[in-house]
Amino acid sequence: AGLQTRGEVSALGDALRTLLDSPRGRTATGIVVISDGSVNGGSPPTEEAALAAERGVPLYVYGTGITNPKDLAVREITGPRGVFQDEYIE
């Protein structure tokens, strides 16, 4: 059905904190972030990025965003929520 929004704010910092504190039994070996960099709520992503660095978790950031969003649309992102080191995914 497509991507649906669930709120009025983009809380990138809070999302990073949730991933860093996720009780999955193993420490994340990296986090991929796809963002236009717009943050209008939650904790500052710079604080959570510093926490990731302290924990040795690299952030792989793919910046998106343009002044006219008609030029780009992310329609679907598929894959598992998390992937462990040396794990093969399709």
Side-chain angles (χ1 to χ4, degrees):
L3 297 174
Q4 301 293 320
T5 60
R6 289 189 245 171
E8 299 294 321
V9 298
S10 57
L12 180 57
D14 291 352
L16 288 172
R17 174 61 75 137
T18 297
L19 289 171
L20 289 168
D21 290 344
S22 179
R24 294 178 49 92
R26 296 169 92 178
T27 304
T29 56
I31 298 173
V32 176
V33 178
I34 302 173
S35 174
D36 64 359
S38 177
V39 176
N40 58 10
S43 63
T46 51
E47 290 179 10
E48 307 311 331
L51 178 62
E54 286 175 19
R55 294 183 181 181
V57 179
L59 300 179
Y60 301 97
V61 180
Y62 179 78
T64 64
I66 50 179
T67 57
N68 184 352
K70 293 179 182 178
D71 293 341
L72 175 67
V74 177
R75 294 195 150 274
E76 182 177 355
I77 299 175
T78 60
R81 177 179 161 100
V83 179
F84 296 110
Q85 186 172 359
D86 298 325
E87 181 178 359
Y88 177 79
I89 62 168
E90 292 182 18

